Amino acid sequence: MLAANEAVPKCGGVEPDALQDIQAGRSSTRWFGAGGGALWAAAPHSMVRWEERRGTAGGPGPAVLEPSASTMTPAKENVSLLFKLYCLTVMTLVAATYTVALRYTRTVETELYFSTTAVCVTEVIKLFLSVGILAKETGSLTKLITSLKENVFGSAKELLKLSVPSVVYAVQNNMAFMALSNLDAAVYQVTYQLKIPCTALCTVLMLNRTLSKLQWFSVFMLCGGVILVQWEPAQATKVQVEQNPWLGFGAIAVAVFCSGFAGVYFEKVLKSSDTSLWVRNIQLYLSGIVVNLFVVYMSDGAKILEKGFFYGYTYYVWFVVLLASVGGLYTSVVVKYTDNIMKGFSAAAAIVLSTVASVILFGLQITVTFSLGALLVCISIYLYGLP
C-alpha cells in the first residue's frame, strides 16, 4: 500500500489534478491508469494495485481483477487511543439512546404520531446531509452539480439498482417502530443482534465469503441467547399501553433479515464501481423517499389528511428522527477508526445501557433467562469479531 506522499508508479493516463484531489482526500476512488501489467486504483490517501488473473490458478478462463497481495491491507489511520474511545462512546450512545428514546415515544406519549412519516422525514434529512458532505468532498458547487447530473439525475439505471435496498430498508425501519411498540427496549436491543447471523448468511450466499468455525459457533450461541431472552420476556411495569410480544418479535425477525440483505446488497453495489459512497447514499435516499411516501399514503393516508403529516410530533419525536438520521451517518463515518472487537464491545455496552434505562424509565423486571440470554449474546458478539 502506497501512502499519499509516496512516489506513484508510472501509469498511462494519469491526471495530475485528479491525483492531487485523491491524495488530498477530496475525491472518491477512481481508476486513472495502467502500468506494469496491472491497474492502479487511487483512493484518498492510498494507492491500490489490481492485478489481472485468468481462470483458476493461472489457467484458462475470463480475466478478473483482484487486489494485489501487497496492497490488500487497508491503510490504517494514525489515531490516538483517546479518539478511538471517543468513537466507541459515540457508537454506543447512539445505539442505546435511539432505542430507548423510540420506545419512550411509542409507549409514553399521549398522542401517538405516525411512524411512517417519521421514517420518511429521516430519509429526507439523510438526503440533505449526504448532499452537503458530497459538496465538501467535491470542493466546489460546479463540481457538485456536475456529479449530481452525471451520477444521480442522469443515471436512471443506477437509481433503479438502488431502489432494491431502498424498499428493503423502508420495510426494516417501519418494522423497527412496530417492534419497539410491542417490546421493551432492552429485549429489542438483544433480539436485534440477530442481524449478525442474517448478515453472515447473506454474505456467504451473495458475496461467496466463508466464515470460520469460531464465527459459526458464535452465530449459534447468539441465536441461543436470543431464544432465552424471548423464552420468558421481561415485563415493564410502568408501560400501560397494550402490547403484543409475538407481534414485536415477528417485526424484529423481518427487520433483521432486511438489515442483512440490504446491507450486503449495498456493499455489493459499492464494490461494483468506483462511485463515491455519498453519491450512492444520495441515490439510495432519493429512492427511499419515493418508497416511503408510497408507504405513508397506503398505510396512513386517510388519517394524515384528517390530522396532518406531523400529528403527534413532540420534541422527543424530533429527537428520535434527528438521532436516526444524524447519528446513523455520524456512526458510519467514525466506524472506520474502530476494529471488530471495539464494535462488539459497543454493541454489548449498548445492551447494558438499554437495560439500565429500561429498568429506570419503564420499570423493566429482569428475569434469570433474560440475564443469561443477554450474557450469551454479548459473548457471541465478541467471539464473532475476533480475528
Side-chain angles (χ1 to χ4, degrees), residues 244-290:
N244 187 338
W246 285 106
L247 178 62
F249 181 73
I252 287 186
V254 175
V256 296
F257 176 78
C258 291
S259 174
F261 173 79
V264 175
Y265 182 96
F266 190 57
E267 179 184 350
K268 193 171 184 178
V269 171
L270 286 175
K271 292 183 176 180
S272 66
S273 70
D274 59 344
T275 305
S276 167
L277 168 64
W278 299 109
V279 169
R280 289 300 190 190
N281 278 338
I282 291 171
Q283 295 170 341
L284 181 69
Y285 299 142
L286 276 175
S287 302
I289 290 171
V290 175

Side-chain angles (χ1 to χ4, degrees), residues 13-97:
V14 178
E15 299 176 11
D17 293 339
L19 181 56
Q20 290 176 4
D21 284 344
I22 291 165
Q23 293 177 324
R26 296 190 297 267
S27 174
S28 61
T29 304
R30 67 178 72 181
W31 300 107
F32 68 85
L39 286 174
W40 287 84
H45 311 300
S46 66
M47 300 285 296
V48 182
R49 185 175 189 268
W50 289 67
E51 297 175 342
E52 181 182 273
R53 304 186 188 277
R54 292 188 174 274
T56 305
V64 296
L65 289 171
E66 297 180 352
S68 171
S70 61
T71 59
M72 288 185 68
T73 303
K76 294 183 178 180
E77 300 285 347
N78 185 20
V79 295
S80 65
L81 177 61
L82 185 63
F83 183 75
K84 286 186 176 182
L85 290 175
Y86 161 75
C87 294
L88 177 66
T89 303
V90 169
M91 289 193 298
T92 304
L93 289 178
V94 166
T97 306

Side-chain angles (χ1 to χ4, degrees), residues 279-331:
V279 169
R280 289 300 190 190
N281 278 338
I282 291 171
Q283 295 170 341
L284 181 69
Y285 299 142
L286 276 175
S287 302
I289 290 171
V290 175
V291 171
N292 280 288
L293 284 174
F294 177 77
V295 173
V296 168
Y297 174 77
M298 295 299 296
S299 180
D300 302 307
K303 296 178 181 178
I304 289 174
L305 287 176
E306 177 186 351
K307 298 181 178 180
F309 191 88
F310 296 105
Y311 172 79
Y313 274 59
T314 62
Y315 291 115
Y316 295 111
V317 177
W318 280 112
F319 177 68
V320 169
V321 170
L322 291 175
L323 200 60
S325 51
V326 179
L329 285 176
Y330 186 75
T331 301

